[in-house]
Amino acid sequence: MTDMSALELLLTAVIALVLLSAIFGAILGFAAIRFKVEGNPLVDQIDALLPQTQCGQCGHPGCRPYAQAIIDEGEAINHCPPGGQATINALANLLDIPAPELDEEHGEEAEVKTVAYIREAECIGCTKCIVACPVDAILGAAKLMHTVIAVECTGCDLCVEPCPVDCIDMLPVPGELADWHWSTPRSSVELLKKPGIIATDRHGDVAA
Amino acid sequence: MALQRITSPHMHAAQTTQRVMQLLLLATVPGLIALSWHFGWGSLINIAIASVTALVCEASIVALRKRPVWFYLHDCSALVTAVLIGLALPPLVPWWVVVVGTAFAIIIAKHLYGGMGYNPFNPAMVGYVVLLISFPIEMTTWPVAQSILPEGKVLPGLGESLQIVFQFSGTAIDGYTAATPLDSFKHSSGLLVEQFYDQNVWFVNGRWAGAGWEWVNLGFFAGGCFLLYQRVFTWHAPVAMLTTLTIMAWLNYDGGSSGSHGPATLHLLSGATMLGAFFIVTDPVTSAVSNRGRLIYGALTGILIFVIRAWGNYPDAVAFAVLLMNFAAPFIDYYTLPRTYGHDKRNRGTATLDASKQDTAKKD
Amino acid sequence: MKKTWDIHGGIHPPENKSQSLQRAISNVPMPDVLILPLNQHIGASALPLVKPGDTVLKGQMIAEPNGFISAAVHAPTSGTIAAIEERPISHPSGMSAPCIVLHSDGDERWVEGPPPADYQSLSPAQLLTIIRDAGITGMGGAGFPTAVKLQPRQSIDTLIINATECEPYITADDILIRERTEDIVTGIDILAHILGRPEQILIGIEDNKAEAYEALEPLLKDTAIELVEFPTKYPSGGEKQVIQILTGQEVPSGKLPAELGIVCQNVGTVYAIFRAVCKGEPLVSRITTVTGNSCRTPGNYEVLIGTPAVHLLTAAGFDEFLCQRLILGGPMTGYTLNDLSAPVIKSTNCLLAADAAESPQQGIPQACIRCGHCAEVCPAKLLPQQLFWYARSKDYDKLAAYHLGDCIECGACSYVCPSEIPLVQYYRAAKAEIRVMEQENIAADRSRQRFEYHQERLAKAEQEKIAKREARKKAAEQAKLSAQDNENIDTEDTDVVAAALARVRSSKPSPEEEHKRLQRAVMAAESRLAKARANHELCAADDPRRASREATLEQARLRHNEAVEQLTRHTDSNDTSKEQQNHTAEIPARTQHQNQNQNQDTVALDRAQLAIEQAQQRAAQQAEMSAQEKLQLQCDSLRKRLAKARDRLKQAESDADDNIEAYATAVTKLEDKLAVRQAEVEQGLAKTPAESDS
């Protein structure tokens, strides 16, 4: 082998590498343009996962501002008590980060869904709750009795504090026959740990 | 609702997991008898040691996991693993080999992956392969069959077998061992098949697949047929495996030249073929789930067995082939989803999921 | 012999049909009380037409359909309406629902109605009205209003009568065919008439009903109706399955059979239609199988809708001590009944009182061993074990991808599962959770929209205010300019400017009035300031509201200063020319007014922010506290609110406010609440030492 051939070898290698990178670069570039994913902006996707109670427990005036803050300010995703762990998991899944526990500084996950209820006899028509409601779910006018549109109420309880006569209660949503459904069966581990439950179960199933 | 209600159906078929396992144990009996008849007490001792080890391991792991021991022991799945290991190991193998293999199978291959129903690899085969790689000498020392022992010599009795297994009085197994038919055939280079068959002591006494071995395999075949009849598993995987193995052997058989990989009968009736086909490949936990998937799974296992036997380093290949296919099982499942009633297209793992994701994205 | 197709999978459970076929259909003695749920069907609840105390006749409509998908309810016998109230109903939940309770008088007096006409002479629309008015729903189990099902948008070329009855134990359809064969054939003809004589009319029947087959066959000789027998297999009787067996077609997922030009009706429904059209009787009774080892005389009974289950069971010799499980419907798809007073409804085809041998207790499920038996028996060709994994891990995307929605909940998978996993319950729970999630998503979307509108509205209001302010500023400047112009130049525009000025002048208050107004403003600001001060002092040093009080106080002070300044300026400028003075006084006054508005806005915003912060602080504190401390905290906050309310009340008294009473009740309410909390706290305190002692 001469020096000449070593140089040739080097040249060939360099040229080959350059060519290869050019070709693959072109392919990648083409693919990036051709198969570009038109995704939703991340804020919209996060907002879609939030429960939309607009309760402000996260420290932001509404769900969308919180979504914005998660993106812009890197706000933690575990500040939403109404959404609870399910929302945190969904957010973590979306953002591809490990799911933290709910930050209890912002409140606890409610066990039952509630709606605001105005004791109408006591309402003095001050409109303070109407101003406070983030989803305009309270109807009424000054000096006239107010009422809550129960189906639109998100249960955020922002209206309770401003009421001067304390006539707003947060009532649990009653369970209805139409809402009833089978619950997920207990796992065998649970059943084995608490055999007593099965016994009462069976007792319950024998006709009364 | 305070009380949990029992949902329909309110009837249940007689088949339970426990019964399935018991049937499996029962189905190994013909093969076990053949093994014991031809190779002595070794397999029975193997099974006894493996069973005790498996039950102890299972019980302690379950206790460590703070679960009720009896509930997990009485499904007999640990026993099945133990019996399969006992059957697969060479008779008269030292006791510690059995213990190590079984413990590895139960503790690592089964419980570390989540226990019954969650293990991706067949525990018995994992245990077997671990032993094969770790202790190649012990694992390839098979006794010769009763029928081909020299005149006047008999296989060791129960007492002597126990002494050999537990390595008490220096009684060596050496006097009784020989390379297995598959092993002998693999190293028969230079001879035509006919010549080799006429010379080798295995084949002089067992023209199909070696003395004793053909009966052992027929025993397992019988047990498999019993399980099929009992509808413990479907025919798909074993039939596919045996079919492809036969086809591969037939395609590669050139009429008996010196480079031949052996006739189909040799492949079907020697080694662990039938044990594999009816007791290993049919393991529901680690195989494909749909019938179509099982056909593919079985067929590929059969091909792999032949490939490793013919061109690999090991004379037998069932364990390796099965483990390799265990890897592939989820993949096969992914592409063999059935077409649901009322849908035009067969489900495709990736396609369906992407489509559903796009749907949700659109909704958003 | 017509070709039949096979369905995928299926099982062959023990049939157990012979027990209830030993005797003919028998009657049940009249019960004293009948309970008629307002919702016995799929769709909206019926609206009651009667009130407690009313006397009704047999067959009288006592509740009318509410909307298109709904069904009427009729009095099954004559008597008086005792009540309309919540009663336990036949439902898997065991919950109560509104029912009409009827006390029978035992007379069975029928309501007078028009005599039934020959159905051949009636139009399909008229017949549909009869069926709808008769309150007929699917009798096979689902209970979909029949009239709705019989008016599809598509044209129908195949009518299928489902006489499969594939579930074990149930024989109601079988015996109905045997005993009332002719009526059923007439019923089928009525259906054919309504659907415009479809090309194919098929009766699908399993080969285990030989007697029913033989009874039907001779009657069908000269008709267009074809009787098709096929091998017994569960669940051949599902609508989708029977369609596949008889036509080889699959109902597309999420679609109705009508899209294939097929209508499928149950034999029981056909019989009910016959009664309604040819006898003029609405749906007031049905054939129900009462069977199981806990019944001494199992059989089929003609029973009035609304009969309590216990009454029917007694008639069949029910032994309560033998009964392990009381199942409403068949053993494969039925549900357990806990309350024996629950009534028989339109879709109750079977009451199964099973003893321990028939319905053994469910074992504890073992791990899934992926044996695949479930996939082999699934009639919908699903992969039940995959669905089980995903249902357990609540992976709803995967569940959708594996077509959970196509599961017909037939129970074949659970039946064969060697590990006794309650697969069907997993699917039912997962389906319901998916539905709930969808509803929640819809609700969330709506509140998102409402929140956005709310924000938009606030932003718009804000902008309008700014715009108005700008406009006023401009107008003022304009006026000033034009006033100067007016003095200097006499142009052609003078008239216009003069007119505008006149308008401005007329709308402007005189300087005296302006002065007074400003004085009032100062006074108001003073009082506000005083109030803010009082509030501020009232507020304890550690009160979280202190900050906001301070802010309010500061603002009040500023505003007061401003007002005073303006007043002085106004007094000073009183000497200058009238017009000018008017302008100068007005502008600052207006700006002040505007500023005030603006301030109020910012204050409102600040308040919202503060409320949020306070809520956060509270929550943070609560998170760290024990239940006891939480209670204590709640007490404290109540006490504060009470103090606030008392102040308000006092002030209201001094101002002679209209709302004194409301304030007073608020105070008492709060006092009550506080007392309750305090009692809880004390209780907790009493408990805690006790606990620490033990």
Side-chain angles (χ1 to χ4, degrees):
Chain A
M1 283 279 162
T2 60
D3 288 348
M4 192 56 202
S5 69
L7 193 67
E8 237 170 55
L9 210 64
L10 189 73
L11 265 177
T12 328
V14 168
I15 290 168
L17 280 175
V18 167
L19 270 177
L20 275 176
S21 45
I23 292 167
F24 285 116
I27 294 173
L28 281 177
F30 172 74
I33 296 162
R34 175 70 183 74
F35 302 111
K36 193 174 159 71
V37 181
E38 285 290 340
N40 288 332
L42 211 46
V43 176
D44 282 344
Q45 286 181 36
I46 293 175
D47 190 35
L49 293 176
L50 292 172
Q52 306 301 325
T53 40
Q54 319 293 0
C55 62
Q57 287 183 72
C58 53
H60 300 274
C63 293
R64 201 178 169 80
Y66 179 41
Q68 195 74 51
I70 289 175
I71 295 302
D72 296 346
E73 298 153 31
E75 185 78 292
I77 59 170
N78 59 349
H79 290 177
C80 179
Q85 199 61 43
T87 299
I88 294 173
N89 291 347
L91 288 174
N93 195 18
L94 175 71
L95 302 173
D96 209 12
I97 52 175
E101 298 260 299
L102 179 65
D103 187 351
E104 297 216 326
E105 271 188 26
H106 292 266
E108 285 164 39
E109 192 173 348
E111 276 154 28
V112 278
K113 201 179 173 310
T114 55
V115 287
Y117 170 77
I118 296 179
R119 290 196 301 277
E120 288 165 1
E122 292 161 40
C123 175
I124 54 168
C126 68
T127 73
K128 284 194 172 119
C129 55
I130 296 180
V131 175
C133 182
V135 291
D136 291 339
I138 304 180
L139 276 181
K143 301 277 176 194
L144 291 169
M145 177 262 281
H146 305 340
T147 195
V148 177
I149 311 169
V151 285
E152 305 292 358
C153 176
T154 63
C156 68
D157 85 2
L158 288 180
C159 53
V160 175
E161 182 74 25
C163 179
V165 294
D166 199 44
C167 72
I168 303 181
D169 288 325
M170 297 307 295
L171 298 181
V173 181
E176 279 180 26
L177 190 65
D179 299 332
W180 181 87
H181 59 79
W182 288 100
S183 55
T184 308
R186 260 177 262 256
S187 73
S188 52
V189 178
E190 276 175 71
L191 287 173
L192 286 165
K193 273 187 190 152
K194 299 177 197 159
I197 291 174
I198 310 174
T200 45
D201 226 37
R202 280 170 187 160
H203 180 72
D205 274 283
V206 176
Chain B
M1 198 57 47
L3 294 175
Q4 196 190 15
R5 270 147 224 292
I6 297 174
T7 185
S8 61
H10 305 280
M11 290 170 98
H12 193 266
Q15 201 87 301
T16 62
T17 302
Q18 190 186 5
R19 207 177 104 84
V20 167
M21 296 294 170
Q22 285 164 351
L23 284 174
L24 248 140
L25 291 175
L26 192 63
T28 58
V29 170
L32 179 60
I33 290 172
L35 262 175
S36 304
W37 179 264
H38 290 284
F39 299 97
W41 293 93
S43 293
L44 271 173
I45 298 171
N46 280 352
I47 287 174
I49 299 171
S51 301
V52 172
T53 317
L55 290 178
V56 169
C57 290
E58 177 99 352
S60 37
I61 292 280
V62 166
L64 272 177
R65 293 175 71 189
K66 296 201 168 52
R67 306 275 167 87
V69 173
W70 172 241
F71 178 75
Y72 286 90
L73 281 191
H74 92 284
D75 67 14
C76 300
S77 62
L79 268 185
V80 168
T81 305
V83 168
L84 292 179
I85 290 180
L87 292 172
L89 293 184
L92 300 179
V93 78
W95 64 273
W96 51 267
V97 171
V98 187
V99 170
V100 168
T102 314
F104 197 91
I106 297 289
I107 297 174
I108 299 192
K110 184 177 174 188
H111 277 289
L112 284 195
Y113 283 101
M116 173 86 155
Y118 295 87
N119 47 307
F121 303 107
N122 187 311
M125 289 300 101
V126 171
Y128 182 84
V129 163
V130 163
L131 293 177
L132 191 58
I133 293 168
S134 312
F135 314 111
I137 297 172
E138 284 82 354
M139 289 297 289
T140 47
T141 315
W142 269 78
V144 287
Q146 171 85 39
S147 51
I148 57 169
L149 277 171
E151 200 72 28
K153 215 170 175 191
V154 287
L155 283 171
L158 179 58
E160 207 184 334
S161 299
L162 285 170
Q163 279 182 5
I164 294 171
V165 169
F166 289 98
Q167 294 168 315
F168 282 142
S169 54
T171 324
I173 187 181
D174 299 351
Y176 307 104
T177 56
T180 61
L182 278 173
D183 208 4
S184 315
F185 192 90
K186 203 173 175 64
H187 298 105
S188 67
S189 50
L191 292 172
L192 294 177
V193 172
E194 280 300 314
Q195 283 177 328
F196 176 72
Y197 268 36
D198 289 338
Q199 284 176 15
N200 190 282
V201 67
W202 286 105
F203 296 97
V204 171
N205 290 287
R207 202 69 186 181
W208 287 344
W213 284 93
E214 41 199 37
W215 291 107
V216 170
N217 272 287
L218 286 175
F220 286 127
F221 179 72
C225 291
F226 165 72
L227 290 180
L228 268 179
Y229 172 74
Q230 287 286 335
R231 293 169 182 271
V232 169
F233 47 72
T234 59
W235 56 268
H236 301 80
V239 168
M241 174 189 138
L242 295 177
T243 310
T244 50
L245 184 60
T246 313
I247 292 171
M248 285 296 283
W250 181 74
L251 283 178
N252 287 284
Y253 188 60
D254 51 10
S257 80
S258 57
S260 151
H261 297 295
T265 46
L266 175 71
H267 285 285
L268 282 179
L269 292 177
S270 199
T273 306
M274 289 298 169
L275 181 70
F278 291 100
F279 294 86
I280 309 293
V281 170
T282 53
D283 171 24
V285 179
T286 55
S287 72
V289 293
S290 64
N291 288 341
R292 242 162 53 96
R294 283 174 185 161
L295 275 178
I296 297 170
Y297 176 84
L300 290 175
T301 313
I303 292 173
L304 270 180
I305 290 174
F306 184 83
V307 167
I308 300 175
R309 274 182 183 176
W311 297 293
N313 272 333
Y314 288 91
D316 203 352
V318 173
F320 289 107
V322 166
L323 287 183
L324 282 171
M325 288 314 295
N326 287 168
F327 274 112
F331 185 71
I332 296 172
D333 285 343
Y334 212 59
Y335 286 97
T336 52
L337 300 178
R339 183 187 61 81
T340 309
Y341 178 103
H343 289 262
D344 291 339
K345 281 190 199 139
R346 189 175 280 286
N347 276 6
R348 280 246 182 263
T350 42
T352 328
L353 293 180
D354 282 356
S356 76
K357 260 188 193 151
Q358 275 168 9
D359 283 353
T360 43
K362 264 179 217 159
K363 261 184 236 162
D364 293 341
Chain C
M1 194 71 211
K2 195 187 179 305
K3 182 184 184 241
T4 57
W5 284 260
D6 191 20
I7 53 166
H8 181 262
I11 52 173
H12 297 92
E15 287 177 16
N16 283 314
K17 292 199 184 228
S18 57
Q19 295 97 311
S20 51
L21 286 170
Q22 302 301 319
R23 52 181 66 76
I25 299 173
S26 34
N27 284 312
V28 182
M30 172 69 64
D32 297 333
V33 182
L34 290 157
I35 301 150
L36 298 148
L38 288 172
N39 195 350
Q40 307 182 20
H41 49 262
I42 290 175
S45 286
L47 299 173
L49 295 171
V50 288
K51 21 180 223 306
D54 285 2
T55 322
V56 292
L57 294 172
K58 182 167 184 162
Q60 181 183 335
M61 194 191 282
I62 52 175
E64 62 177 356
N66 175 20
F68 184 57
I69 301 182
S70 185
V73 179
H74 298 79
T77 185
S78 56
T80 29
I81 305 295
I84 300 176
E85 60 186 19
E86 299 253 321
R87 284 288 181 106
I89 55 156
S90 312
H91 189 269
S93 69
M95 286 163 84
S96 300
C99 299
I100 298 179
V101 183
L102 174 64
H103 281 189
S104 65
D105 58 11
D107 292 345
E108 293 261 54
R109 272 174 296 132
W110 273 93
V111 70
E112 294 284 324
D118 175 23
Y119 69 87
Q120 306 275 15
S121 62
L122 294 173
S123 72
Q126 284 168 312
L127 286 168
L128 281 172
T129 314
I130 294 175
I131 291 171
R132 186 173 164 79
D133 288 344
I136 296 174
T137 62
M139 310 276 275
F144 192 78
T146 303
V148 180
K149 208 172 164 183
L150 285 176
Q151 36 190 324
R153 270 168 285 165
Q154 298 81 357
S155 73
I156 298 301
D157 54 28
T158 307
L159 168 64
I160 292 177
I161 305 302
N162 190 349
T164 317
E165 204 166 45
C166 58
E167 270 215 51
Y169 287 100
I170 310 178
T171 55
D173 289 351
D174 190 0
I175 206 133
L176 193 66
I177 301 173
R178 290 189 199 183
E179 295 193 13
R180 300 177 189 176
T181 325
E182 281 175 38
D183 298 349
I184 286 168
V185 175
T186 315
I188 296 172
D189 201 50
I190 297 170
L191 279 176
H193 182 62
I194 293 173
L195 294 170
R197 301 277 161 202
E199 288 161 36
Q200 265 190 316
I201 305 169
L202 306 170
I203 304 178
I205 190 164
E206 278 186 339
D207 60 7
N208 61 356
K209 297 176 190 60
E211 272 194 52
Y213 185 88
E214 279 156 25
L216 264 175
E217 207 186 11
L219 291 177
L220 302 179
K221 283 243 168 70
D222 302 321
T223 61
I225 306 168
E226 206 174 340
L227 184 59
V228 188
E229 201 180 36
F230 48 85
T232 305
K233 175 157 92 174
Y234 178 84
S236 302
E239 187 175 69
K240 290 177 171 182
Q241 279 61 44
V242 85
I243 287 172
Q244 191 181 11
I245 291 170
L246 293 181
T247 69
Q249 287 174 288
E250 289 183 12
V251 182
S253 174
K255 304 268 173 71
L256 292 172
E259 312 214 5
L260 298 174
I262 298 172
V263 159
C264 192
Q265 289 290 352
N266 172 268
V267 173
T269 321
V270 172
Y271 180 66
I273 290 171
F274 162 79
R275 291 273 281 255
V277 173
C278 299
K279 306 263 159 121
E281 295 175 14
L283 181 56
V284 292
S285 68
R286 66 157 297 137
I287 312 289
T288 298
T289 308
V290 187
T291 183
N293 287 349
S294 315
C295 290
R296 275 190 299 277
T297 50
N300 285 286
Y301 293 86
E302 178 137 33
V303 51
L304 295 179
I305 308 290
T307 306
V310 64
H311 186 82
L312 181 57
L313 285 165
T314 316
F318 175 58
D319 186 341
E320 206 180 315
F321 295 100
L322 272 180
C323 184
Q324 170 78 21
R325 246 191 254 191
L326 183 61
I327 299 158
L328 214 119
M332 297 302 295
T333 57
Y335 47 86
T336 50
L337 198 61
N338 292 33
D339 198 323
L340 283 180
S341 68
V344 168
I345 57 171
K346 291 174 185 174
S347 56
T348 309
N349 50 7
C350 179
L351 259 179
L352 172 58
D355 70 359
E358 287 174 301
S359 183
Q361 290 183 345
Q362 209 157 8
I364 290 175
Q366 287 170 299
C368 167
I369 55 167
R370 304 182 3 124
C371 64
H373 289 327
C374 48
E376 279 159 36
V377 300
C378 180
K381 280 198 268 181
L382 295 164
L383 286 178
Q385 56 189 0
Q386 301 302 105
L387 291 174
F388 162 63
W389 290 116
Y390 297 132
R392 220 167 45 154
S393 57
K394 303 198 184 298
D395 189 340
Y396 300 120
D397 286 347
K398 276 271 169 51
L399 284 172
Y402 281 86
H403 303 310
L404 175 66
D406 290 299
C407 168
I408 58 166
E409 301 175 15
C410 67
C413 49
S414 304
Y415 178 79
V416 296
C417 178
S419 293
E420 296 188 69
I421 301 169
L423 293 165
V424 176
Q425 193 179 340
Y426 276 102
Y427 307 150
R428 284 184 174 148
K431 278 181 182 177
E433 274 160 29
I434 290 173
R435 208 176 51 228
V436 168
M437 228 169 53
E438 276 167 5
Q439 281 166 357
E440 273 175 6
N441 277 344
I442 292 169
D445 281 344
R446 215 174 40 211
S447 48
R448 180 184 300 118
Q449 230 171 27
R450 290 181 77 88
F451 178 65
E452 274 161 16
Y453 287 150
H454 177 87
Q455 298 290 87
E456 228 168 81
R457 188 166 56 78
L458 289 187
K460 220 169 162 185
E462 186 62 26
Q463 245 161 17
E464 268 167 20
K465 259 178 216 154
I466 293 172
K468 259 188 202 159
R469 199 155 59 220
E470 291 290 317
R472 278 206 208 95
K473 214 191 247 166
K474 249 187 210 151
E477 271 165 21
Q478 195 81 44
K480 210 168 168 186
L481 270 176
S482 51
Q484 285 166 1
D485 288 353
N486 200 23
E487 282 173 4
N488 302 335
I489 318 152
D490 278 330
T491 56
E492 288 168 18
D493 295 334
T494 321
D495 290 350
V496 187
V497 175
L501 257 175
R503 271 206 302 279
V504 170
R505 254 180 233 150
S506 66
S507 70
K508 268 182 218 152
S510 68
E512 289 76 32
E513 276 170 3
E514 186 61 29
H515 188 75
K516 268 184 199 156
R517 202 186 64 75
L518 281 172
Q519 264 174 341
R520 270 203 307 280
V522 169
M523 260 156 74
E526 259 167 11
S527 77
R528 250 201 306 276
L529 181 59
K531 204 160 120 191
R533 236 180 233 137
N535 264 340
H536 184 241
E537 276 157 21
L538 227 152
C539 182
D542 58 339
D543 195 306
R545 267 170 300 215
R546 195 179 168 86
S548 77
R549 291 272 157 78
E550 257 163 26
T552 340
L553 179 61
E554 192 53 39
Q555 251 154 6
R557 202 176 283 144
L558 279 174
R559 236 181 277 164
H560 177 248
N561 289 348
E562 210 175 334
V564 171
E565 200 182 314
Q566 271 167 27
L567 184 62
T568 27
R569 215 184 304 150
H570 186 257
T571 338
D572 290 349
S573 61
N574 243 353
D575 305 335
T576 51
S577 78
K578 253 184 193 177
E579 272 169 33
Q580 256 183 340
Q581 176 213 2
N582 270 348
H583 288 304
T584 44
E586 192 191 21
I587 293 160
R590 286 231 174 134
T591 20
Q592 189 250 359
H593 182 66
Q594 283 157 6
N595 282 342
Q596 213 165 328
N597 270 349
Q598 216 170 356
N599 282 342
Q600 268 167 6
D601 293 342
T602 43
V603 168
L605 269 180
D606 285 352
R607 270 195 204 137
Q609 200 63 45
L610 272 166
I612 288 168
E613 272 164 26
Q614 281 158 26
Q616 272 171 10
Q617 278 171 5
R618 267 207 309 275
Q621 283 162 0
Q622 276 179 13
E624 290 156 17
M625 281 179 221
S626 69
Q628 187 60 40
E629 283 169 320
K630 269 182 204 169
L631 269 177
Q632 197 75 51
L633 192 86
Q634 281 171 1
C635 253
D636 289 347
S637 83
L638 269 177
R639 232 172 258 139
K640 270 176 209 150
R641 269 163 80 185
L642 181 60
K644 208 163 94 184
R646 281 206 183 113
D647 284 349
R648 257 196 309 255
L649 180 60
K650 249 182 233 159
Q651 200 172 353
E653 272 164 1
S654 62
D655 295 354
D657 197 306
D658 297 340
N659 294 321
I660 284 182
E661 267 176 46
Y663 286 129
T665 42
V667 168
T668 37
K669 276 265 157 60
L670 278 169
E671 273 166 355
D672 290 349
K673 266 193 198 169
L674 183 61
V676 170
R677 277 293 131 74
Q678 209 126 30
E680 273 173 34
V681 170
E682 272 155 27
Q683 234 172 21
L685 282 177
K687 218 184 271 170
T688 333
E691 272 168 10
S692 57
D693 286 350
S694 64

